[in-house]
Amino acid sequence: IEHVGRDDLVLHEISRVLKEGGTLCLTAPMQKRYFGFDDEFVGHYRRYEIPELRTFLRDKGLVEIRVFPVMGRLEKLIMENITRLFAFKKKGEEHVHLLGWGTRLAAWVFFPLYAAINFFLGFLVDRQAKNAPLEDAVNLCFLCRKSS
């Protein structure tokens, strides 16, 4: 829902088509203060605060079953920096790379090393998220059931 301009319409439609007693599994980025380059890069319109999203879901007739962290602060730190390596920045109507061709070429040549490091970092991100309190998570999963 963070990838669309009108998240209210999307949640309304999800609630409309979901059967009574049906389950919704929704992940969303949290903590508005963390909105940054990586969010723009992947097409996010927004981040949420926990109470705001809980109210939003409840107002659409979705009852919270469980909420748990998917990603913690470590993921945000990593993604904010990694996305800049491969990023384009919009300049007028054209897209311009933030880094020169040589740097990007080197990044692709060393991609297998990047993949190995990414696997290890993914493991650390997963461990950190599982131990993070909800308030520290930068991405949460909301399991909700449509009320009858």
Side-chain angles (χ1 to χ4, degrees):
I1 60 173
E2 69 274 7
H3 292 276
V4 296
R6 294 288 311 270
D7 55 351
D8 58 327
L9 295 178
V10 171
L11 272 180
H12 174 77
E13 185 63 10
I14 289 170
S15 180
R16 186 185 73 76
V17 300
L18 191 62
K19 294 179 184 178
E20 286 186 14
T23 303
L24 169 68
C25 177
L26 174 79
T27 61
M30 296 289 125
Q31 302 192 41
K32 291 179 180 182
R33 71 178 185 264
Y34 285 144
F35 191 90
F37 180 83
D38 58 322
D39 290 293
E40 291 177 16
F41 183 73
V42 297
H44 289 176
Y45 280 77
R46 70 194 67 75
R47 285 182 163 269
Y48 297 90
E49 297 298 334
I50 297 171
E52 167 192 32
L53 192 51
R54 279 184 161 145
T55 300
F56 198 22
L57 293 166
R58 192 172 36 251
D59 290 349
K60 300 297 180 192
L62 299 163
V63 179
E64 186 179 298
I65 300 170
R66 182 173 172 227
V67 179
F68 57 90
V70 176
M71 293 179 216
R73 292 179 184 168
L74 179 60
E75 185 273 343
K76 178 65 179 171
L77 176 67
I78 293 167
M79 289 308 296
E80 182 71 26
N81 290 291
I82 292 294
T83 52
R84 292 181 186 277
L85 189 58
F86 299 100
F88 287 94
K89 186 149 182 130
K90 196 167 185 177
K91 183 178 181 182
E93 287 302 311
E94 61 183 273
H95 286 78
V96 179
H97 272 286
L98 294 177
L99 298 175
W101 283 103
T103 306
R104 284 182 283 128
L105 180 60
W108 284 111
V109 168
F110 292 106
F111 188 79
L113 176 61
Y114 163 77
I117 291 169
N118 194 45
F119 179 81
F120 176 69
L121 291 175
F123 173 79
L124 293 178
V125 165
D126 181 60
R127 291 292 150 247
Q128 193 236 354
K130 287 183 176 171
N131 295 311
L134 290 183
E135 299 75 31
D136 287 347
V138 296
N139 197 300
L140 290 177
C141 180
F142 287 79
L143 289 178
C144 301
R145 184 158 289 129
K146 183 172 179 182
S147 58
S148 38

